[in-house]
Amino acid sequence: MRVLCVAEKPQQARAVATILSQGSFATREGPSRYNKNFDFSYRISGNFERVTMTSVSGHVAEVDFPLNARRWHSCDPAHLFTSPVVREVNEQAKAVARNLELESRTATHLYIWTDCDREGESIGNDIAEICRKVNARIVV
């Protein structure tokens, strides 16, 4: 079993890793210089399992209209009520998303550590979506 834990903020990831590992964790760099990976062992159901704690920096994805409907005069405004929306990783979070992809490839379980509000739920959904894209068998 390999567990990937993802917090909403880098400070939260370090704090949780410090508590769960009792201060005994290894720090690894990832594609994002602000979002480190903290590796440690933790007892789950009587067995010591490998855990990696990492983070995002808020929202990873953004929702927008398709390219042909993004400019003010590109279409009739009434068309926007029935237009589909596109969800994609925002430019600032590409390195964070890449880190999630790399770490989730070998993980068996994903634990999401976000705030218990609508925004945290949205961020958690983004995290799960990115991880499932590269590892469909990951248990969330």
Side-chain angles (χ1 to χ4, degrees):
M1 173 187 252
R2 182 169 173 280
V3 178
L4 174 61
C5 297
V6 183
E8 190 171 335
K9 300 173 188 90
Q11 305 90 320
Q12 290 172 335
R14 178 178 286 281
V16 171
T18 300
I19 293 166
L20 294 181
S21 71
Q22 298 178 349
S24 179
F25 58 84
T27 304
R28 281 186 299 111
E29 297 289 328
S32 169
R33 67 184 205 173
Y34 302 109
N35 305 86
K36 311 280 189 239
N37 298 308
F38 306 103
D39 298 320
F40 56 93
S41 292
Y42 187 74
R43 187 183 301 263
I44 300 172
S45 299
N47 299 316
F48 280 100
E49 305 295 349
R50 293 180 311 140
V51 177
T52 296
M53 185 82 201
T54 191
S55 65
V56 296
S57 297
H59 288 280
V60 183
E62 60 188 10
V63 178
D64 206 341
F65 291 109
L67 285 174
N68 64 347
R70 288 187 187 173
R71 300 232 184 256
W72 279 102
H73 301 292
S74 63
C75 67
D76 178 6
H79 172 71
L80 297 177
F81 288 103
T82 58
S83 180
V85 292
V86 178
R87 186 180 196 92
E88 55 194 14
V89 174
N90 65 45
E91 202 57 42
Q92 297 84 3
K94 288 201 186 263
V96 173
R98 181 72 183 131
N99 187 53
L100 293 177
E101 291 169 351
L102 292 171
E103 295 299 322
S104 63
R105 286 179 199 268
T106 58
T108 57
H109 293 75
L110 172 64
Y111 295 170
I112 300 171
W113 297 69
T114 56
D115 295 344
C116 294
D117 56 17
R118 288 182 183 174
E119 186 175 21
E121 187 176 343
S122 176
I123 293 168
N125 186 55
D126 294 344
I127 293 166
E129 189 175 293
I130 290 167
C131 293
R132 283 182 176 143
K133 206 177 291 182
V134 295
N135 183 351
R137 294 167 299 164
I138 197 166
V139 177
V140 180

